[in-house]
Amino acid sequence: MYAKRLDNLPPYLFARIDAIKAQKRAEGVDLIDLGVGDPDLPTPAHIVDALCEAARDPANHHYPDYLGMLEYREAVAKWYDTRFGVKLDPKTEVLALIGSKEGIANIPEAFVNPGEYVLAADPGYPVYKTSTLFAEGKCHLMPLLEENNFLPDYDAIPKEVVRDAKLMFIGYPNNPTGTVAPMKFFDETVEFAKNNDIIVVHDNAYSEISYDGYVAPSFLQASGAMDVGIECHSLSKTYNMTGWRIGMACGNKDLISAFGRVKTNIDSGVFDAVQKAAITALTGPQDCVKNACAIYQERRDALVSGLRSLGFNVFVPKATFYVWMKVDDSAAFTEKMINEAGIVVTPGNGFGPNGEGYVRFAITRTVDRINEAIERMKECGLRGN
Ligand SMILES: *Cc1c(COP(=O)(O)O)cnc(C)c1O
């Protein structure tokens, strides 16, 4: 009864973890969930108000524009200019997405022929690989190694793979490693893409979640990036709007147009009231973003110092709300954490083979809960070397 392509499709990582969590909760365990990257903070009130107002207006109850309301695309273009100094034509270089996951999941349909390669970061956001499989492309994983600061090494990709590669997925600030990329890396990426005719899809969901004064760039700031790529961005992490499902793809107009053609045949856009609220988010006061980062930074510091006091080897992220930590065995550590300490973390190997030997903590819980997690780990004898 099932299609063959389902055989190649792993159960979605977080759906699998959700099942284990549900079982533990049913057993009455008070779980501290540092697993999935979903902000615990609410969407700022002025954005919720804008939604409520727009939802009451029957003018917003119809099928939305496929590409996104022009006002939304204009707000995105203005935000990109203010934030990154990147100039975009809202009519041709911006496309509304039903969250960036939707964009990442559908982009290969527009560009990848069966058997062509897609290069994807490993560890990486799981959808890079599965969207490739849906398009019947072949996925070549680019290892993100600690010795390369968790950046891919383009010279290490076999020549025949590069020759047949059509598209690549990368994303910095990075989920799951929490690493950031220097502008030089984006310049090298543009050069690699131009030399080998590869479309770059940069996943920039975390550009606004950063610490210690670090300001993340857009891939589109790199010289020549607009010739070779698209950036997927989202309001999910920036404004705590994961449930709202709105994002944007920006970049090369021919790529945006081809991708838009796919989308018109799949979905019917984002609810206009959500787009209006997103306009409010992008054009309104931005202190809500700064406040959220201050909260995450305090949690990051609590978690990092707690884990270090237990002897663990952790990386201090300059951006994203993830802490990447070395362990002996990803699955064994994750199981011990949930079974003995009631703490949910994500096994690194769920993000790809090169995530083996790591786990990811999401700092989407309060400092008190994070401190409690550290206490529980201590009591359970969960220690590093
Ligand atoms: C959260 C996330 C996304 C998806 O976000 P949406 O809610 O679909 O906009 C995309 N990429 C990465 C790396 C993420 O962590």
Side-chain angles (χ1 to χ4, degrees), residues 99-102 104 125 128 175 203 205-206 234 236-237 242 245-246 322:
S100 51
K101 181 178 183 181
E102 180 265 306
I104 293 160
Y125 188 58
Y128 304 155
N175 174 13
D203 182 7
Y206 296 95
S234 164
S236 285
K237 316 292 163 58
T242 47
R245 311 315 303 138
I246 183 158
Y322 302 115

Side-chain angles (χ1 to χ4, degrees), residues 112-131:
V112 179
N113 292 303
E116 286 178 335
Y117 274 107
V118 170
L119 312 176
D122 164 28
Y125 188 58
V127 187
Y128 304 155
K129 185 174 171 187
T130 48
S131 66

Side-chain angles (χ1 to χ4, degrees), residues 248-311:
M248 57 277 208
C250 303
N252 181 275
K253 71 173 173 24
D254 298 326
L255 299 177
I256 292 287
S257 158
F259 176 36
R261 197 135 48 92
V262 168
K263 272 176 62 60
T264 54
N265 286 287
I266 294 179
D267 65 69
S268 297
V270 177
F271 182 24
D272 278 346
V274 169
Q275 293 191 59
K276 292 221 161 138
I279 295 169
T280 299
L282 292 169
T283 59
Q286 300 299 305
D287 51 331
C288 53
V289 184
K290 236 168 81 195
N291 295 342
C293 290
I295 291 169
Y296 291 134
Q297 184 165 325
E298 198 188 335
R299 296 171 176 184
R300 176 202 66 170
D301 293 343
L303 182 64
V304 166
S305 70
L307 291 171
R308 284 189 171 161
S309 76
L310 297 176

Side-chain angles (χ1 to χ4, degrees), residues 134-153:
F134 272 129
E136 293 173 50
K138 287 193 280 193
C139 192
H140 177 83
L141 296 175
M142 300 183 287
L144 307 186
L145 305 176
E146 181 183 352
E147 62 257 37
N148 299 329
N149 299 314
F150 299 107
L151 298 170
D153 176 3

Side-chain angles (χ1 to χ4, degrees), residues 31-357:
L31 284 181
I32 302 178
D33 188 357
L34 305 173
V36 72
D38 188 352
D40 58 323
L41 308 169
T43 308
H46 68 286
I47 302 172
V48 177
D49 290 343
L51 172 76
C52 293
E53 193 184 324
R56 282 192 201 98
D57 182 352
N60 296 325
H61 294 175
H62 304 284
Y63 280 121
D65 184 306
Y66 286 106
L67 307 176
M69 300 170 81
L70 185 57
E71 300 95 295
Y72 172 66
R73 287 179 284 149
E74 283 167 347
V76 168
K78 192 162 162 249
W79 184 79
Y80 256 80
D81 189 11
T82 311
R83 175 60 182 82
F84 301 117
V86 169
K87 306 262 186 247
L88 297 167
D89 178 347
K91 290 205 173 75
T92 58
E93 294 171 332
V94 179
L95 181 63
L97 297 178
I98 312 169
S100 51
K101 181 178 183 181
E102 180 265 306
I104 293 160
N106 286 320
I107 280 172
E109 296 291 348
F111 304 109
V112 179
N113 292 303
E116 286 178 335
Y117 274 107
V118 170
L119 312 176
D122 164 28
Y125 188 58
V127 187
Y128 304 155
K129 185 174 171 187
T130 48
S131 66
T132 301
L133 297 179
F134 272 129
E136 293 173 50
K138 287 193 280 193
C139 192
H140 177 83
L141 296 175
M142 300 183 287
L144 307 186
L145 305 176
E146 181 183 352
E147 62 257 37
N148 299 329
N149 299 314
F150 299 107
L151 298 170
D153 176 3
Y154 298 135
D155 293 332
I157 305 169
K159 294 277 171 298
E160 62 279 12
V161 172
V162 172
R163 194 191 55 217
D164 292 343
K166 194 66 190 290
L167 184 146
M168 62 189 284
F169 285 114
I170 51 169
Y172 295 92
N174 185 257
N175 174 13
T177 66
T179 322
V180 299
M183 216 45 223
K184 184 167 144 283
F185 169 75
F186 288 151
D187 292 335
E188 285 164 11
T189 300
V190 171
E191 198 192 330
F192 172 71
K194 281 199 170 173
N195 289 343
N196 299 292
D197 240 336
I198 298 171
I199 297 162
V200 178
V201 179
H202 184 251
D203 182 7
N204 206 5
Y206 296 95
S207 71
E208 304 316 294
I209 310 300
S210 65
Y211 315 113
D212 309 325
Y214 174 75
V215 179
S218 161
F219 170 69
L220 300 177
Q221 281 171 251
S223 152
M226 287 293 289
D227 300 333
V228 298
I230 293 180
E231 183 161 86
C232 289
H233 211 305
S234 164
L235 281 79
S236 285
K237 316 292 163 58
T238 309
Y239 303 104
N240 311 322
M241 288 171 66
T242 47
W244 297 49
R245 311 315 303 138
I246 183 158
M248 57 277 208
C250 303
N252 181 275
K253 71 173 173 24
D254 298 326
L255 299 177
I256 292 287
S257 158
F259 176 36
R261 197 135 48 92
V262 168
K263 272 176 62 60
T264 54
N265 286 287
I266 294 179
D267 65 69
S268 297
V270 177
F271 182 24
D272 278 346
V274 169
Q275 293 191 59
K276 292 221 161 138
I279 295 169
T280 299
L282 292 169
T283 59
Q286 300 299 305
D287 51 331
C288 53
V289 184
K290 236 168 81 195
N291 295 342
C293 290
I295 291 169
Y296 291 134
Q297 184 165 325
E298 198 188 335
R299 296 171 176 184
R300 176 202 66 170
D301 293 343
L303 182 64
V304 166
S305 70
L307 291 171
R308 284 189 171 161
S309 76
L310 297 176
F312 287 106
N313 185 352
V314 270
F315 300 90
V316 185
K318 282 211 172 321
T320 77
F321 39 60
Y322 302 115
V323 172
W324 192 235
M325 183 177 94
K326 273 190 147 155
V327 294
D328 290 333
D329 179 308
S330 297
F333 185 86
T334 304
E335 272 171 43
K336 255 188 145 156
M337 285 285 274
I338 194 159
N339 288 329
E340 293 173 24
I343 301 167
V344 182
V345 296
T346 310
N349 60 357
F351 298 98
N354 279 289
E356 176 50 49

